[in-house]
Amino acid sequence: TNRREVVALTVWHTYVEQMGDSFGVLVREFNDTVGAKEGIVVSVTKEANASSLNEMLIASAKRDPGASPCPDMAVVYPKIAVELAGLNALADLGTLFSKEELDRYVSNFLEEGMLGGDTLYILPIAKSTEVLYVNKTLFDRFARDVGIDASILATFEGIIEAAEKYYVWTDEQTPDIPGDGKTFYYPDVPFNYAMIGFEQLGDHFVKNGVLDFDSPVFEKIWDSYFPHAVRGRIAIFDKYANYLAMTGDIVCATSTSAGAMFYPKTVTYADNTREDVTFDVLPYPVFEGGERVVVQRGGGMCILKSDGEKERAAALFLKWLTTPAQNLRFTASTGYMPAMKEAFDLILANELKGIENECVRKALKTTVAMRDDYRFHSPPVSGGFDELQRKFVGRLIGFAKDAKREYRESMEATTGELFDFVVKKHDFMKDF
């Protein structure tokens, strides 16, 4: 037999820790099996966080002095793919995959990779969404006492109602210390809370590159969050929800499904007592009367333009990687969702036995159920979106912290409540 030239492929990715390890294992397995048979060798030549990798990719695509040559494949997020496509650096995956092959992927996930046009630039590998994490141990104790159950957590209005009851319930446990009720809920990404709230209620938060504060929907979302944050019912915080969960400072949080492995089995309270706890993972709550909408996150893989042989070899690797047998091993340990429809069906058929982390198992089950009931919303890829998000979150958290301090002072100074939340909303919008 005549020996053919080996096709060597390079890949850059952003997978860290557990995901990086399992990706490495899969690359080696491909090289030993399909790769060996087809004469393809894949090697990971860069691992970095998304922002560093993005800079390196753009520099390579522009052929900046000193930049590395472009890899054959890379993990990208939509907004960077837009830039790379603009530089004519990305292969059209629609020419490398047949219609039958593409039909196996979850259509929402594929659509995001089209960047608003009709060319497929990103293949989904692992996607995340948001779910509601609930400290079942704390919630059950409180719920039994006040006569509610977990169904109240299906809507944001229900969560606020429960938060009010929880504040009073915890406050009453220390009658000698007035006003020391505890927070109940935390939206991990306040921007998503607003953006998805808009979508659920039939509007868009971002219009022509600006935030729509004039919409009546903004008023509803602001009123559901801000006064309750200021009055201590919702946590004001600028890190991930799992930190608050570890200390029992919240009972529930909306946060990424990919963070399931970080939820604790033990809570350590402020007085250093510890308690074993169980977390439940519930579907993302919906504003009353709203549509079931939830955010869709996560990068995918693109193939960078080179020659036909390399592009075809890269496509073969990605087809292999996203087949349920491989893809589920990659995503299942993390709480990410797989890329293909049949992988979801396998999860439903309870192919979760190999997953040791109970919270990850619950998160996967919940996201699989949500796939059929919810519309997944991808954040816009327009320029300036990230900056808009950063500005909104930074400003909101700072503003809420200041207002909370003022509120406490006004409560101490008077017996009645002399705090004007309406004025605060106008101040927030005016200075934005």
Side-chain angles (χ1 to χ4, degrees):
T1 56
N2 55 347
R3 294 180 63 82
R4 36 178 186 173
E5 289 291 305
V6 168
V7 182
L9 300 175
T10 55
V11 60
W12 294 1
H13 71 71
T14 55
Y15 303 128
V16 291
E17 294 167 9
Q18 221 166 333
M19 288 190 88
D21 295 344
S22 47
F23 186 74
V25 168
L26 286 167
V27 166
R28 287 194 292 279
E29 191 177 306
F30 173 84
N31 289 338
D32 291 345
T33 56
V34 178
K37 189 164 149 252
E38 300 290 336
I40 302 166
V41 176
V42 177
S43 35
V44 176
T45 50
K46 274 192 188 4
E47 298 175 36
N49 65 28
S51 57
S52 312
L53 202 77
N54 294 344
E55 280 175 30
M56 292 189 275
L57 279 169
I58 299 292
S60 298
K62 288 180 169 170
R63 298 200 170 92
D64 286 353
S68 310
C70 276
D72 298 300
M73 295 171 277
V75 171
V76 291
Y77 288 81
K79 74 170 198 335
I80 288 301
V82 169
E83 278 192 65
L84 291 169
L87 293 165
N88 197 25
L90 297 184
D92 170 4
L93 300 180
T95 62
L96 298 165
F97 285 69
S98 69
K99 187 183 177 310
E100 292 71 38
E101 285 170 332
L102 291 176
D103 281 346
R104 295 175 68 189
Y105 294 87
V106 176
S107 55
N108 281 82
F109 298 171
L110 273 187
E111 200 178 304
E112 188 177 18
M114 292 181 168
L115 312 177
D118 45 20
T119 306
L120 180 64
Y121 290 114
I122 311 173
L123 191 74
I125 304 288
K127 291 287 179 189
S128 64
T129 184
E130 289 195 347
V131 289
L132 182 74
Y133 293 97
V134 184
N135 181 326
K136 184 174 160 48
T137 313
L138 278 183
F139 180 79
D140 287 355
R141 194 180 299 150
F142 148 68
R144 224 180 6 254
D145 254 19
V146 300
I148 56 171
D149 63 51
S151 64
I152 198 169
L153 306 176
T155 66
F156 285 109
E157 289 84 353
I159 287 174
I160 302 304
E161 188 189 328
E164 194 60 52
K165 288 183 179 354
Y166 186 70
Y167 187 89
V168 172
W169 182 74
T170 47
D171 191 18
E172 284 170 351
Q173 287 172 17
T174 48
D176 49 325
I177 313 168
D180 72 335
K182 291 192 163 74
T183 54
F184 180 75
Y185 166 66
Y186 173 59
D188 207 341
V189 186
F191 190 88
N192 287 356
Y193 179 83
M195 175 179 71
I196 296 301
F198 262 76
E199 292 295 321
Q200 290 184 350
L201 296 166
D203 204 349
H204 304 300
F205 191 26
V206 183
K207 289 181 185 144
N208 303 321
V210 292
L211 300 179
D212 186 4
F213 290 143
D214 298 328
S215 166
V217 173
F218 180 71
E219 183 138 349
K220 185 175 171 90
I221 285 162
W222 176 270
D223 291 347
S224 74
Y225 168 81
F226 188 76
H228 306 291
V230 169
R231 292 167 60 242
R233 277 65 169 167
I234 293 176
I236 305 165
F237 192 60
D238 53 7
K239 291 192 181 71
Y240 292 118
N242 57 291
Y243 289 105
L244 293 174
M246 288 172 187
T247 49
D249 284 316
I250 50 168
V251 177
C252 62
T254 41
S255 186
T256 172
S257 60
M261 64 176 113
F262 299 110
Y263 280 79
K265 293 180 175 67
T266 320
V267 162
T268 307
Y269 298 104
D271 62 2
N272 266 336
T273 56
R274 297 180 64 159
E275 180 177 27
D276 290 341
V277 295
T278 306
F279 272 83
D280 271 351
V281 184
L282 303 180
Y284 191 79
V286 180
F287 280 96
E288 276 171 17
E291 183 197 347
R292 287 175 174 174
V293 184
V294 69
V295 76
Q296 170 181 311
R297 309 292 306 227
M301 283 267 195
C302 64
I303 294 177
L304 287 102
K305 280 190 175 171
S306 52
D307 59 67
E309 193 181 18
K310 277 198 158 203
E311 289 176 14
R312 280 192 297 277
L316 187 69
F317 170 71
L318 294 183
K319 288 169 193 182
W320 179 86
L321 182 68
T322 49
T323 302
Q326 284 73 249
N327 198 210
L328 277 172
R329 281 160 50 206
F330 179 52
T331 56
S333 58
T334 57
Y336 275 93
M337 295 182 283
M340 285 189 181
K341 296 174 211 167
E342 65 215 69
F344 278 84
D345 302 333
L346 286 171
I347 293 173
L348 274 181
N350 200 21
E351 299 282 324
L352 298 173
K353 300 182 188 74
I355 301 171
E356 282 145 39
N357 186 311
E358 190 190 2
C359 203
V360 170
R361 267 204 312 272
K362 288 176 178 175
L364 269 171
K365 265 209 149 96
T366 299
T367 54
V368 167
M370 281 165 61
R371 182 196 64 158
D372 295 328
D373 296 345
Y374 281 71
R375 169 165 73 81
F376 286 100
H377 175 73
S378 307
V381 288
S382 56
F385 173 76
D386 284 18
E387 191 41 52
L388 215 53
Q389 181 172 345
R390 257 197 306 276
K391 187 178 173 188
F392 176 78
V393 172
R395 175 116 178 84
L396 184 68
I397 289 171
F399 202 78
K401 277 183 178 165
D402 291 346
K404 186 173 183 176
R405 197 176 52 246
E406 270 177 60
Y407 174 77
R408 294 215 102 128
E409 286 163 5
S410 80
M411 288 296 283
E412 284 162 16
T414 61
T415 46
E417 250 180 70
L418 297 173
F419 195 82
D420 196 334
F421 284 107
V422 177
V423 168
K424 284 285 167 206
K425 178 166 57 193
H426 290 306
D427 289 349
F428 178 84
M429 293 177 345
K430 181 178 76 218
D431 293 352
F432 196 89

